[in-house]
Each structure stands twice: as structure tokens, then as C-alpha cells.
Amino acid sequence: MLIKNQNYTVEITGTGSEGEGVCRIDGFAVFVPYALKGEIVEIKIVKALKNYAFGKILYIVKPSKHRTEPKCEYFYKCGGCVFWHTDYEGELQFKQQKVIDCIARIAGLDMNIEQIIGAQNCEHYRNKGQFPVTPEGIGFFAERSHRLISINNCIIQDKITADVIKIVREFMCDYAIMPYDESNHTGVIRNVLVRVAKNTGEVMVVIVTKTSKILHKDELVKRLTELSPRIVSIIQNINGERTNVAMGMKNITIFGKAEISDKIAHLDFSISPHSFFQINPEQTKVLYDKVVEYAGLKGNEVVLDLYCGIGTISLYIAQFAKQVIGVECVEQAVLNAKENAVKNGVENVEFILGKAEEVAEKFKKIDAIIIDPPRKGCDIKLLDAIKNIKPEKIIYVSCNPATLARDLKILTEYGFSTKIIQPVDMFPRTAHVESVVLITKVDG
Ligand code: SAH
């Protein structure tokens, strides 16, 4: 076992799943946050466990050629991004390697992985930001904690977000509006949420409150609307519960519209305070175009879109198929999906409320299946149902290469063959990597 507080000079030989550097000392793996592969660093052991340890950089003896000065001033404190100390090339190499390692080690597949498609914009790409308000300020929680880091700016958010935070902060100071204090469940404002429709420019601000009343609310509305004509919707969301969940159920429109509208390619989508929408619309189009390409539909197919959310993929591919059936377990998302179909005049889609693994069991003849599960991947019951349906093609959209690899191993045993794995960077500066995978039925 390594000893706490001991110093070592080491070479970083790998990268952990969260982007941290990894080295070996006497056979023990040591995880070193903010160290980059190839670097020689002097570290102090800060935590030693039976099989592995954690180290802290004291001094960088030989920096990586990818090392950069973090542009974000909150980088070492905030739990949001993990890659401001490397250039984008270094970040993409990590993401590519993460997919390669999972596919080889977990899926046991010996195959080429397509070169990751990087983002054009690594800054201000997000269309949604949620900022807790506490007696310490407005900002972000530090990693794995409830310690708030007050911020003035977040480089991956839309630029208007920083201005909205500033206005809410000044308003609270000027009128002595109390922030929410979770220790005694008192105060008024608990969260500020900013949603931006990147393709239409519309902005929604949601003020989450513990109380139903916000004193001097009209002044807050005045200041926000004077900030920008783009702010077309201001919502008060009431969350009176003792909970870590950011928003409550009740929304009151205190200015403008109850929803904002955004576009993905030719399609229009309504976004309300609670609705799910992909957070990087530019890369969403790149991702969906890959789904269309891999599906290679001729127009006579029946397609199942499992985990369909608000129906974005279903509506995107409907023009290429005979019929698309979307399945989603959140009722509100299914309602939004149906509204979105009507809004866009798409008639060959249908949406079913239910669990993918339960609904899929009911189908016998489906030509292609799209699956886009959350991080935990597919339920085994769903993979069993797919085995019985035997579709010609499966397009698997994954936000977690480890569970993707686990599911590909099972699908291989079930008589399917993985043809193409294409990583896409949807979340620059974070360790998350998305992949689109083409899987086909093995004949016979
Ligand atoms: N395909 C959509 C949404 C993907 S996010 C898009 O591209 O926007 C994953 C979705 O799966 C979420 O909407 C979540 O509510 C839903 N989900 C999670 N578990 C599910 C299950 N067991 N069955 C059906 N839907 C599920």
C-alpha cells in the first residue's frame, strides 16, 4: 500500500474515465486529477486505499504538448468541466481512446473506430444552464459536494447567461431578496435557469422560488426585459419542498410566452421549463445526420425509435420511412412529442408512453430500431425483445461507451454484427462522449 503524504516523481501513462491522469507506483494505480498523459509530474499521495491511490500535482516537471493555461477562472474549483488544461486535440484524443478501450475491453470486439467528429464551437455551445442560489451566491456546486462556487460567467453557456446571473444577483442585493438556505429551509430564490433557443435566438429565464411570492417581481421583470429583446419568456417555478431536485411542478409565466421555439434543421420544437432538449443543437444535427445515414432508409420501412424523448429523432427520420413509432417513459415528453409532430405536420409518426423494454416485446415485425438510452444503457429485457424482432438494422446512439460496449457484446451473442462506431463530441470540455453505432442482423 502507498503511504499518504509521500511525494513521488512519476510519468502519467494513461487517462481515467473522468479525464484524470493515471500512473503506476509499485504496481498501484494512482489517479492524479489535472495531470495529462505523457507528463512527468511530482505528486503527493493524498489518499491511499488498498488497491489504488489518489495523488495531487505539486509540480509539472515535463508538461504535455497539449497542456494549456485554463481559460476558465473557475476550472479547478467548479465540478462542471474537466478539460480546460488541455487543447481540444488532446481532449479529442482522450475521447477517442475512451471509446476504443471500452469496445476492446468490455465488448471484446476487434474493430476500427471512426475518427471522432469534434465540435466547431467549444465555447458558449450549451443551450441550458441551471444555477443554484444559496447564501454563498449564485453559481455551481463544487464536484461531488453542496459547496457553492459563486460565478460571474460560464464559458460553455450562451453569452446571455452571465448577464442574466448578474441582473438576478443585483436585484437580490438591491431589494434584500433572500437566497434559499437548505440548512433551515428558508429564503426565496433557489435556482436560476436559462434556456436559449440557439437557432431562433429566443431566451427563457426561469426563477425557481421556495415561496409563491417574489417581492418587487415587476422590477426583476423590467430589468431582465431591458437586458435583451431576446428574453421572450420569464417563468416563476415554485418548489416549496425540501429536496435536491431543482424545479417544482408549478410554473407561472410572469412575462411573455410559456414556451420558446427552437429548430433542428427544418423542424420546429417548443421548449417549456421542464422539457428535455439536446443541449448542443449544432452537434445534435451532426449526430442525427449520422443516424439517417446509417439507417439508409428507402421509404417503405417501419422504424422503432426507443427512448425517443420529445420525438426529435422520430421526426427527423420520418421523411425517409413509411412509419416511425417512438417510445418514451416520461409522460410529459410523450405529450411534447405528439405536439411536435402536429406542429411540424408530420403524420407518419406515433408515440407510445411506456418502458422501451416492455413496449418492444409487443412488436414482431420492425425493419430498423433506433435506441438512445440514458447512461445506464439498455435493460436486458429490451435486448431480448430485439433478438426476437430480428430487425435488419439497429442504430444505437449512446452517451456512455462502457454500457454501449456491454450491450454490443450481448447483441453480438444474439446474432448481430457491429459495423460502424462513430464517436461525436456533443459536450466539449467535459469527459462525456457520444457515439452512433450501426449494427446489422447476421443472415442465417
Ligand atoms: N432520443 C432523444 C432522447 C434521448 S435521452 C433525443 O435525441 O433527444 C433518453 C430518454 O430516454 C429520456 O427522454 C428518458 O426519459 C428516456 N427513458 C429512460 N429510461 C427509459 C425506459 N426504460 N423506457 C423508455 N424511455 C426511457
Side-chain angles (χ1 to χ4, degrees), residues 276 278 288 305-310 312-313 327-330 333 354-357 372-374 376:
F276 174 87
Q278 292 276 357
Y288 290 0
D305 176 23
L306 303 174
Y307 309 90
C308 71
I310 56 164
T312 34
I313 297 180
V327 181
E328 162 64 46
C329 70
V330 172
K355 288 193 169 162
E357 56 272 26
D372 184 6
K376 67 176 185 191

PDB file of all heavy atoms in Angstrom, residues 276 278 288 305-310 312-313 327-330 333 354-357 372-374 376, ligand 1:
ATOM      1  N   PHE A 276     -37.224  18.189 -22.013  1.00  0.00           N
ATOM      2  CA  PHE A 276     -35.895  17.747 -22.391  1.00  0.00           C
ATOM      3  C   PHE A 276     -35.598  18.252 -23.796  1.00  0.00           C
ATOM      4  O   PHE A 276     -36.444  18.193 -24.666  1.00  0.00           O
ATOM      5  CB  PHE A 276     -35.840  16.212 -22.357  1.00  0.00           C
ATOM      6  CG  PHE A 276     -34.534  15.669 -22.878  1.00  0.00           C
ATOM      7  CD1 PHE A 276     -33.466  15.516 -22.018  1.00  0.00           C
ATOM      8  CD2 PHE A 276     -34.364  15.361 -24.220  1.00  0.00           C
ATOM      9  CE1 PHE A 276     -32.250  15.054 -22.495  1.00  0.00           C
ATOM     10  CE2 PHE A 276     -33.153  14.898 -24.703  1.00  0.00           C
ATOM     11  CZ  PHE A 276     -32.095  14.742 -23.833  1.00  0.00           C
ATOM     12  N   GLN A 278     -31.939  18.372 -26.469  1.00  0.00           N
ATOM     13  CA  GLN A 278     -30.487  18.162 -26.551  1.00  0.00           C
ATOM     14  C   GLN A 278     -29.778  19.484 -26.281  1.00  0.00           C
ATOM     15  O   GLN A 278     -30.193  20.523 -26.795  1.00  0.00           O
ATOM     16  CB  GLN A 278     -30.121  17.650 -27.943  1.00  0.00           C
ATOM     17  CG  GLN A 278     -30.635  16.261 -28.228  1.00  0.00           C
ATOM     18  CD  GLN A 278     -29.713  15.173 -27.682  1.00  0.00           C
ATOM     19  OE1 GLN A 278     -28.648  15.453 -27.130  1.00  0.00           O
ATOM     20  NE2 GLN A 278     -30.138  13.936 -27.827  1.00  0.00           N
ATOM     21  N   TYR A 288     -27.720  13.345 -35.575  1.00  0.00           N
ATOM     22  CA  TYR A 288     -28.925  12.832 -36.243  1.00  0.00           C
ATOM     23  C   TYR A 288     -28.656  12.524 -37.723  1.00  0.00           C
ATOM     24  O   TYR A 288     -29.225  11.588 -38.270  1.00  0.00           O
ATOM     25  CB  TYR A 288     -30.081  13.832 -36.115  1.00  0.00           C
ATOM     26  CG  TYR A 288     -30.656  13.974 -34.713  1.00  0.00           C
ATOM     27  CD1 TYR A 288     -30.153  13.242 -33.639  1.00  0.00           C
ATOM     28  CD2 TYR A 288     -31.714  14.836 -34.465  1.00  0.00           C
ATOM     29  CE1 TYR A 288     -30.684  13.376 -32.369  1.00  0.00           C
ATOM     30  CE2 TYR A 288     -32.264  14.971 -33.196  1.00  0.00           C
ATOM     31  CZ  TYR A 288     -31.732  14.247 -32.149  1.00  0.00           C
ATOM     32  OH  TYR A 288     -32.271  14.398 -30.891  1.00  0.00           O
ATOM     33  N   ASP A 305     -38.323   3.950 -32.644  1.00  0.00           N
ATOM     34  CA  ASP A 305     -37.359   4.890 -32.054  1.00  0.00           C
ATOM     35  C   ASP A 305     -37.527   4.800 -30.536  1.00  0.00           C
ATOM     36  O   ASP A 305     -38.428   5.426 -29.964  1.00  0.00           O
ATOM     37  CB  ASP A 305     -37.638   6.312 -32.578  1.00  0.00           C
ATOM     38  CG  ASP A 305     -36.741   7.368 -31.928  1.00  0.00           C
ATOM     39  OD1 ASP A 305     -35.657   7.008 -31.429  1.00  0.00           O
ATOM     40  OD2 ASP A 305     -37.134   8.557 -31.934  1.00  0.00           O
ATOM     41  N   LEU A 306     -36.681   3.987 -29.906  1.00  0.00           N
ATOM     42  CA  LEU A 306     -36.821   3.741 -28.466  1.00  0.00           C
ATOM     43  C   LEU A 306     -36.067   4.794 -27.658  1.00  0.00           C
ATOM     44  O   LEU A 306     -35.000   5.223 -28.065  1.00  0.00           O
ATOM     45  CB  LEU A 306     -36.309   2.338 -28.126  1.00  0.00           C
ATOM     46  CG  LEU A 306     -36.997   1.205 -28.893  1.00  0.00           C
ATOM     47  CD1 LEU A 306     -36.330  -0.136 -28.599  1.00  0.00           C
ATOM     48  CD2 LEU A 306     -38.483   1.146 -28.550  1.00  0.00           C
ATOM     49  N   TYR A 307     -36.618   5.164 -26.512  1.00  0.00           N
ATOM     50  CA  TYR A 307     -36.082   6.260 -25.670  1.00  0.00           C
ATOM     51  C   TYR A 307     -36.152   7.552 -26.492  1.00  0.00           C
ATOM     52  O   TYR A 307     -35.135   8.228 -26.682  1.00  0.00           O
ATOM     53  CB  TYR A 307     -34.636   5.995 -25.253  1.00  0.00           C
ATOM     54  CG  TYR A 307     -34.368   4.651 -24.636  1.00  0.00           C
ATOM     55  CD1 TYR A 307     -34.004   3.559 -25.415  1.00  0.00           C
ATOM     56  CD2 TYR A 307     -34.452   4.491 -23.256  1.00  0.00           C
ATOM     57  CE1 TYR A 307     -33.745   2.324 -24.842  1.00  0.00           C
ATOM     58  CE2 TYR A 307     -34.184   3.256 -22.670  1.00  0.00           C
ATOM     59  CZ  TYR A 307     -33.832   2.176 -23.472  1.00  0.00           C
ATOM     60  OH  TYR A 307     -33.561   0.965 -22.910  1.00  0.00           O
ATOM     61  N   CYS A 308     -37.347   7.883 -27.005  1.00  0.00           N
ATOM     62  CA  CYS A 308     -37.440   8.941 -28.025  1.00  0.00           C
ATOM     63  C   CYS A 308     -37.498  10.354 -27.467  1.00  0.00           C
ATOM     64  O   CYS A 308     -37.469  11.313 -28.237  1.00  0.00           O
ATOM     65  CB  CYS A 308     -38.628   8.679 -28.935  1.00  0.00           C
ATOM     66  SG  CYS A 308     -40.203   8.959 -28.124  1.00  0.00           S
ATOM     67  N   GLY A 309     -37.590  10.529 -26.134  1.00  0.00           N
ATOM     68  CA  GLY A 309     -37.640  11.883 -25.582  1.00  0.00           C
ATOM     69  C   GLY A 309     -38.819  12.656 -26.152  1.00  0.00           C
ATOM     70  O   GLY A 309     -39.947  12.149 -26.182  1.00  0.00           O
ATOM     71  N   ILE A 310     -38.575  13.867 -26.650  1.00  0.00           N
ATOM     72  CA  ILE A 310     -39.670  14.674 -27.221  1.00  0.00           C
ATOM     73  C   ILE A 310     -39.821  14.407 -28.721  1.00  0.00           C
ATOM     74  O   ILE A 310     -40.371  15.221 -29.456  1.00  0.00           O
ATOM     75  CB  ILE A 310     -39.482  16.179 -26.949  1.00  0.00           C
ATOM     76  CG1 ILE A 310     -38.124  16.662 -27.483  1.00  0.00           C
ATOM     77  CG2 ILE A 310     -39.612  16.476 -25.459  1.00  0.00           C
ATOM     78  CD1 ILE A 310     -38.009  18.163 -27.615  1.00  0.00           C
ATOM     79  N   THR A 312     -37.524  13.955 -31.181  1.00  0.00           N
ATOM     80  CA  THR A 312     -36.672  14.647 -32.154  1.00  0.00           C
ATOM     81  C   THR A 312     -36.150  13.704 -33.247  1.00  0.00           C
ATOM     82  O   THR A 312     -36.234  14.023 -34.430  1.00  0.00           O
ATOM     83  CB  THR A 312     -35.490  15.347 -31.457  1.00  0.00           C
ATOM     84  OG1 THR A 312     -35.079  14.575 -30.344  1.00  0.00           O
ATOM     85  CG2 THR A 312     -35.871  16.724 -30.982  1.00  0.00           C
ATOM     86  N   ILE A 313     -35.622  12.532 -32.847  1.00  0.00           N
ATOM     87  CA  ILE A 313     -35.087  11.620 -33.883  1.00  0.00           C
ATOM     88  C   ILE A 313     -36.238  11.082 -34.733  1.00  0.00           C
ATOM     89  O   ILE A 313     -36.145  11.035 -35.966  1.00  0.00           O
ATOM     90  CB  ILE A 313     -34.271  10.461 -33.264  1.00  0.00           C
ATOM     91  CG1 ILE A 313     -33.042  10.995 -32.520  1.00  0.00           C
ATOM     92  CG2 ILE A 313     -33.857   9.453 -34.340  1.00  0.00           C
ATOM     93  CD1 ILE A 313     -32.164   9.931 -31.865  1.00  0.00           C
ATOM     94  N   VAL A 327     -41.010   5.538 -28.567  1.00  0.00           N
ATOM     95  CA  VAL A 327     -41.378   5.022 -27.242  1.00  0.00           C
ATOM     96  C   VAL A 327     -40.580   5.779 -26.178  1.00  0.00           C
ATOM     97  O   VAL A 327     -39.359   5.918 -26.300  1.00  0.00           O
ATOM     98  CB  VAL A 327     -41.085   3.503 -27.122  1.00  0.00           C
ATOM     99  CG1 VAL A 327     -41.489   2.988 -25.738  1.00  0.00           C
ATOM    100  CG2 VAL A 327     -41.796   2.729 -28.212  1.00  0.00           C
ATOM    101  N   GLU A 328     -41.287   6.231 -25.146  1.00  0.00           N
ATOM    102  CA  GLU A 328     -40.654   7.062 -24.128  1.00  0.00           C
ATOM    103  C   GLU A 328     -41.415   6.879 -22.808  1.00  0.00           C
ATOM    104  O   GLU A 328     -42.634   6.779 -22.820  1.00  0.00           O
ATOM    105  CB  GLU A 328     -40.684   8.526 -24.616  1.00  0.00           C
ATOM    106  CG  GLU A 328     -40.480   9.593 -23.597  1.00  0.00           C
ATOM    107  CD  GLU A 328     -39.111   9.569 -22.930  1.00  0.00           C
ATOM    108  OE1 GLU A 328     -38.087   9.435 -23.626  1.00  0.00           O
ATOM    109  OE2 GLU A 328     -39.084   9.688 -21.690  1.00  0.00           O
ATOM    110  N   CYS A 329     -40.687   6.859 -21.677  1.00  0.00           N
ATOM    111  CA  CYS A 329     -41.363   6.573 -20.405  1.00  0.00           C
ATOM    112  C   CYS A 329     -41.797   7.816 -19.623  1.00  0.00           C
ATOM    113  O   CYS A 329     -42.480   7.686 -18.610  1.00  0.00           O
ATOM    114  CB  CYS A 329     -40.491   5.660 -19.542  1.00  0.00           C
ATOM    115  SG  CYS A 329     -39.038   6.483 -18.911  1.00  0.00           S
ATOM    116  N   VAL A 330     -41.397   9.017 -20.071  1.00  0.00           N
ATOM    117  CA  VAL A 330     -41.835  10.224 -19.355  1.00  0.00           C
ATOM    118  C   VAL A 330     -43.059  10.810 -20.080  1.00  0.00           C
ATOM    119  O   VAL A 330     -42.987  11.157 -21.260  1.00  0.00           O
ATOM    120  CB  VAL A 330     -40.702  11.277 -19.269  1.00  0.00           C
ATOM    121  CG1 VAL A 330     -41.212  12.595 -18.702  1.00  0.00           C
ATOM    122  CG2 VAL A 330     -39.556  10.740 -18.425  1.00  0.00           C
ATOM    123  N   ALA A 333     -42.881  14.174 -21.864  1.00  0.00           N
ATOM    124  CA  ALA A 333     -42.081  14.114 -23.097  1.00  0.00           C
ATOM    125  C   ALA A 333     -42.917  13.548 -24.241  1.00  0.00           C
ATOM    126  O   ALA A 333     -42.841  14.033 -25.379  1.00  0.00           O
ATOM    127  CB  ALA A 333     -40.830  13.273 -22.865  1.00  0.00           C
ATOM    128  N   GLY A 354     -44.375   4.468 -22.332  1.00  0.00           N
ATOM    129  CA  GLY A 354     -44.075   3.177 -21.696  1.00  0.00           C
ATOM    130  C   GLY A 354     -42.588   2.926 -21.656  1.00  0.00           C
ATOM    131  O   GLY A 354     -41.798   3.718 -22.192  1.00  0.00           O
ATOM    132  N   LYS A 355     -42.222   1.842 -21.006  1.00  0.00           N
ATOM    133  CA  LYS A 355     -40.813   1.489 -20.931  1.00  0.00           C
ATOM    134  C   LYS A 355     -40.399   0.771 -22.206  1.00  0.00           C
ATOM    135  O   LYS A 355     -41.113  -0.138 -22.658  1.00  0.00           O
ATOM    136  CB  LYS A 355     -40.569   0.582 -19.728  1.00  0.00           C
ATOM    137  CG  LYS A 355     -40.662   1.321 -18.428  1.00  0.00           C
ATOM    138  CD  LYS A 355     -40.113   0.483 -17.307  1.00  0.00           C
ATOM    139  CE  LYS A 355     -39.977   1.337 -16.073  1.00  0.00           C
ATOM    140  NZ  LYS A 355     -39.858   0.553 -14.863  1.00  0.00           N
ATOM    141  N   ALA A 356     -39.262   1.166 -22.757  1.00  0.00           N
ATOM    142  CA  ALA A 356     -38.781   0.584 -24.017  1.00  0.00           C
ATOM    143  C   ALA A 356     -38.789  -0.945 -23.933  1.00  0.00           C
ATOM    144  O   ALA A 356     -39.252  -1.622 -24.855  1.00  0.00           O
ATOM    145  CB  ALA A 356     -37.377   1.094 -24.312  1.00  0.00           C
ATOM    146  N   GLU A 357     -38.318  -1.494 -22.799  1.00  0.00           N
ATOM    147  CA  GLU A 357     -38.177  -2.949 -22.669  1.00  0.00           C
ATOM    148  C   GLU A 357     -39.522  -3.650 -22.617  1.00  0.00           C
ATOM    149  O   GLU A 357     -39.637  -4.816 -22.981  1.00  0.00           O
ATOM    150  CB  GLU A 357     -37.319  -3.307 -21.448  1.00  0.00           C
ATOM    151  CG  GLU A 357     -37.780  -2.763 -20.114  1.00  0.00           C
ATOM    152  CD  GLU A 357     -37.241  -1.362 -19.795  1.00  0.00           C
ATOM    153  OE1 GLU A 357     -36.934  -0.604 -20.730  1.00  0.00           O
ATOM    154  OE2 GLU A 357     -37.157  -1.026 -18.601  1.00  0.00           O
ATOM    155  N   ASP A 372     -31.637   5.002 -27.975  1.00  0.00           N
ATOM    156  CA  ASP A 372     -30.869   6.142 -27.448  1.00  0.00           C
ATOM    157  C   ASP A 372     -31.072   6.190 -25.927  1.00  0.00           C
ATOM    158  O   ASP A 372     -31.708   7.107 -25.407  1.00  0.00           O
ATOM    159  CB  ASP A 372     -31.366   7.437 -28.129  1.00  0.00           C
ATOM    160  CG  ASP A 372     -30.558   8.655 -27.714  1.00  0.00           C
ATOM    161  OD1 ASP A 372     -29.550   8.499 -26.998  1.00  0.00           O
ATOM    162  OD2 ASP A 372     -30.940   9.775 -28.114  1.00  0.00           O
ATOM    163  N   PRO A 373     -30.555   5.180 -25.216  1.00  0.00           N
ATOM    164  CA  PRO A 373     -30.859   5.071 -23.782  1.00  0.00           C
ATOM    165  C   PRO A 373     -30.059   6.052 -22.929  1.00  0.00           C
ATOM    166  O   PRO A 373     -29.074   6.627 -23.393  1.00  0.00           O
ATOM    167  CB  PRO A 373     -30.432   3.636 -23.458  1.00  0.00           C
ATOM    168  CG  PRO A 373     -29.320   3.353 -24.405  1.00  0.00           C
ATOM    169  CD  PRO A 373     -29.641   4.112 -25.664  1.00  0.00           C
ATOM    170  N   PRO A 374     -30.483   6.234 -21.665  1.00  0.00           N
ATOM    171  CA  PRO A 374     -29.669   7.026 -20.740  1.00  0.00           C
ATOM    172  C   PRO A 374     -28.347   6.312 -20.418  1.00  0.00           C
ATOM    173  O   PRO A 374     -28.087   5.227 -20.941  1.00  0.00           O
ATOM    174  CB  PRO A 374     -30.542   7.161 -19.503  1.00  0.00           C
ATOM    175  CG  PRO A 374     -31.679   6.230 -19.665  1.00  0.00           C
ATOM    176  CD  PRO A 374     -31.721   5.750 -21.065  1.00  0.00           C
ATOM    177  N   LYS A 376     -27.150   4.407 -18.251  1.00  0.00           N
ATOM    178  CA  LYS A 376     -27.067   3.013 -17.791  1.00  0.00           C
ATOM    179  C   LYS A 376     -27.272   2.003 -18.921  1.00  0.00           C
ATOM    180  O   LYS A 376     -27.159   0.802 -18.705  1.00  0.00           O
ATOM    181  CB  LYS A 376     -28.041   2.769 -16.648  1.00  0.00           C
ATOM    182  CG  LYS A 376     -29.474   2.844 -17.039  1.00  0.00           C
ATOM    183  CD  LYS A 376     -30.383   2.499 -15.869  1.00  0.00           C
ATOM    184  CE  LYS A 376     -31.797   2.483 -16.385  1.00  0.00           C
ATOM    185  NZ  LYS A 376     -32.842   2.425 -15.458  1.00  0.00           N
TER     186      LYS A 376
HETATM  187  N1  SAH B   1     -33.692  10.336 -28.318  1.00  0.00           N
HETATM  188  C1  SAH B   1     -33.995  11.539 -27.589  1.00  0.00           C
HETATM  189  C2  SAH B   1     -33.834  11.452 -26.072  1.00  0.00           C
HETATM  190  C3  SAH B   1     -32.673  10.705 -25.514  1.00  0.00           C
HETATM  191  S1  SAH B   1     -32.460  10.867 -23.779  1.00  0.00           S
HETATM  192  C4  SAH B   1     -33.221  12.713 -28.173  1.00  0.00           C
HETATM  193  O1  SAH B   1     -32.334  12.527 -29.006  1.00  0.00           O
HETATM  194  O2  SAH B   1     -33.482  13.847 -27.799  1.00  0.00           O
HETATM  195  C5  SAH B   1     -33.079   9.341 -23.175  1.00  0.00           C
HETATM  196  C6  SAH B   1     -34.570   9.304 -22.982  1.00  0.00           C
HETATM  197  O3  SAH B   1     -34.922   8.010 -22.506  1.00  0.00           O
HETATM  198  C7  SAH B   1     -35.110  10.276 -21.937  1.00  0.00           C
HETATM  199  O4  SAH B   1     -36.139  11.032 -22.532  1.00  0.00           O
HETATM  200  C8  SAH B   1     -35.677   9.367 -20.827  1.00  0.00           C
HETATM  201  O5  SAH B   1     -36.839   9.897 -20.244  1.00  0.00           O
HETATM  202  C9  SAH B   1     -35.996   8.110 -21.585  1.00  0.00           C
HETATM  203  N2  SAH B   1     -36.006   6.827 -20.845  1.00  0.00           N
HETATM  204  C10 SAH B   1     -35.237   6.446 -19.808  1.00  0.00           C
HETATM  205  N3  SAH B   1     -35.479   5.159 -19.473  1.00  0.00           N
HETATM  206  C11 SAH B   1     -36.435   4.709 -20.322  1.00  0.00           C
HETATM  207  C12 SAH B   1     -37.092   3.450 -20.486  1.00  0.00           C
HETATM  208  N4  SAH B   1     -36.806   2.395 -19.722  1.00  0.00           N
HETATM  209  N5  SAH B   1     -38.011   3.350 -21.468  1.00  0.00           N
HETATM  210  C13 SAH B   1     -38.309   4.409 -22.269  1.00  0.00           C
HETATM  211  N6  SAH B   1     -37.724   5.612 -22.157  1.00  0.00           N
HETATM  212  C14 SAH B   1     -36.779   5.772 -21.197  1.00  0.00           C
END
